[in-house]
Amino acid sequence: MGPGFIGGADHLQLPSAAGLWLCYDQTRVRHLVVVPALFGTELHDEELGAIWGTFGCLYRGPRLASPAGLRGKPGKVMSAIPLFAGLRYDILGALQQALGRAGYAPGKNLHLFAYDWRLRSVDVASALVDEIHRLADASQQEVDLLGLSNGGLLVRAAFAIDPTLPVERVVTSGAPLAGSLESLACLNVGFQFAPLGRTVSPGEFVACPGSLDCLPPPDKSVFLDAGYDLYDAATWKTLRLSVFGDCRGGGDEEDDWVRIVGDRLSSTRKSWQTLERASAPRRLTCVCGAGLPTQVKIVIDHGRARVPGEGRVARLPPEALAEGDGGVSVESATAWSGATTEVVRIPVGRHRDVVRTPAAFRAILDSLS
């Protein structure tokens, strides 16, 4: 899904709530691998410098990607981005504190999986598989996995590559296991990280090989109007979706985007075929935000697709909405084919609350206990 699926610019890291959980003996806690969401890992290029992960990247910096390819490599998983006067743009810091109070210690039994979130989940999954085996071999026991938002898709992709992973339990929180139209909203108009900050354009998103990972799977009908296929680049061109919104009068630029979008849709179709083959975890808990109207169907209005994005769905018809966290529906957050799933519903104000609120921390820790 899009970058709104991490801590937003209006969320500052606050002192942790004390006394919510007791500390546990670290020797009795299995190793836990946390797979963060989009934008949860630093990106750095030797020539360009920081691509993502610093305060400056909120307002300026190199493009995340271009049709010519990707620059930079992943660094470390981010706890927060320092702002000013001691304020921080929280990414995973509050969650790490909650895990620490429950007995998880970085480098001992808590491991944060850093990866290039611009790539397809199925292409990154082999590195996650290797890390799981390394930790299981070193600890001589199975490990637990926690997939946050898009990180849940990466966890599922790992089970598609290796159905015999040495994993005791999997917990996902807000994972778009059957995709999300919020990703299309970000692809459609871009995203601004911070007030008065830079806007990541639709072109930057589409240039990332994994940008379409969270579209709903191709066998799912997402249009209220018949006759449109989300996995046909001609649909995107006709409805002026994403990069085609600014293309006027055709030409070479539009032809190039037709080819690029077509390639992205083809690879995303193959990704879903891989994900649907994923074996079921032995124990699976899906934490999902509930209580908010969430778009699950696209409305066509005067020849244009209406995908307004999280929190702006009031004018959509009821048949275009379902219950969820504003970005991911409850149905999608629990849709791991073939799995026996324990579902934990939590109240949220936005999708990103599935990884940043005391209710989310409590649900995650209860699921891991």
Side-chain angles (χ1 to χ4, degrees):
M1 297 175 52
F5 289 62
I6 60 174
D10 61 343
H11 172 51
L12 302 178
Q13 183 169 315
L14 301 175
S16 58
L20 284 178
W21 304 280
L22 298 176
C23 291
Y24 297 94
D25 182 354
Q26 293 176 8
T27 62
R28 300 177 58 189
V29 179
R30 267 188 303 274
H31 286 246
L32 174 65
V33 181
V34 179
V35 184
L38 297 183
F39 296 88
T41 302
E42 294 177 347
L43 297 173
H44 188 273
D45 183 81
E46 291 185 358
E47 295 182 2
L48 299 177
I51 295 176
W52 174 248
T54 67
F55 172 73
C57 292
L58 296 174
Y59 293 90
R60 62 184 184 278
R63 292 166 59 88
L64 296 177
S66 73
L70 302 180
R71 295 286 300 269
K73 295 181 180 180
K76 68 177 186 297
V77 173
M78 300 158 54
S79 295
I81 300 176
L83 298 179
F84 51 86
L87 298 178
R88 293 153 63 86
Y89 179 117
D90 185 59
I91 307 295
L92 286 182
L95 175 60
Q96 287 178 261
Q97 291 175 14
L99 291 170
R101 293 192 294 272
Y104 291 98
K108 294 182 179 179
N109 55 9
L110 176 60
H111 311 275
L112 307 180
F113 181 71
Y115 65 99
D116 192 334
W117 36 266
R118 300 171 298 180
L119 300 175
R120 296 194 306 159
S121 295
V122 295
D123 293 332
V124 179
S126 59
L128 177 58
V129 168
D130 291 343
E131 177 68 357
I132 292 168
H133 280 288
R134 183 187 71 81
L135 293 170
D137 290 344
S139 63
Q140 293 297 296
Q141 63 175 348
E142 294 181 325
V143 303
D144 293 341
L145 301 180
L146 172 58
L148 305 173
S149 193
N150 285 52
L153 278 185
L154 181 47
V155 169
R156 190 178 180 190
F159 276 85
I161 292 176
D162 186 349
T164 62
L165 283 175
V167 172
E168 171 63 23
R169 74 184 77 202
V170 171
V171 178
T172 63
S173 191
L177 297 174
S180 167
L181 288 183
E182 179 64 19
S183 64
L184 185 60
C186 291
L187 288 164
N188 201 30
V189 297
F191 185 82
Q192 188 179 51
F193 290 107
L196 303 179
R198 62 184 289 204
T199 296
V200 178
S201 69
E204 283 184 74
F205 282 143
V206 174
C208 297
S211 59
L212 275 58
D213 256 15
C214 284
L215 290 182
D219 61 353
K220 188 175 182 64
S221 175
V222 296
F223 287 95
L224 286 181
D225 302 62
Y228 293 100
D229 178 4
L230 186 61
Y231 280 76
D232 185 348
T235 296
W236 292 54
K237 179 179 177 181
T238 298
L239 298 177
R240 314 312 296 179
L241 279 168
S242 188
V243 292
F244 299 105
D246 293 330
C247 291
R248 297 289 184 269
D252 292 342
E253 180 187 13
E254 187 168 81
D255 291 341
D256 288 342
W257 281 123
V258 169
R259 174 184 56 80
I260 293 170
V261 170
D263 288 344
R264 295 285 184 263
L265 291 169
S266 177
S267 64
T268 303
R269 183 185 296 272
K270 293 176 182 177
S271 292
W272 279 114
Q273 292 171 351
T274 299
L275 290 170
E276 288 297 327
R277 296 196 299 268
S279 63
R282 185 179 306 131
R283 301 173 65 182
L284 172 64
T285 301
C286 294
V287 178
C288 51
L292 297 179
T294 303
Q295 186 174 12
V296 293
K297 295 285 186 179
I298 300 172
V299 178
I300 305 300
D301 186 9
H302 294 91
R304 298 293 294 264
R306 290 176 59 192
V307 194
E310 182 182 10
R312 297 183 292 273
V313 299
R315 299 181 65 183
L316 293 178
E319 56 268 30
L321 304 172
E323 184 186 12
D325 60 23
V328 179
S329 68
V330 171
E331 179 184 5
S332 178
T334 59
W336 191 312
S337 304
T340 300
T341 307
E342 178 186 358
V343 179
V344 180
R345 298 159 65 101
I346 61 172
V348 293
R350 294 194 65 176
H351 168 82
R352 62 185 179 222
D353 288 350
V354 297
V355 298
R356 73 167 193 172
T357 63
F361 304 153
R362 186 178 297 109
I364 289 169
L365 288 169
D366 285 348
S367 301
L368 290 169
S369 63

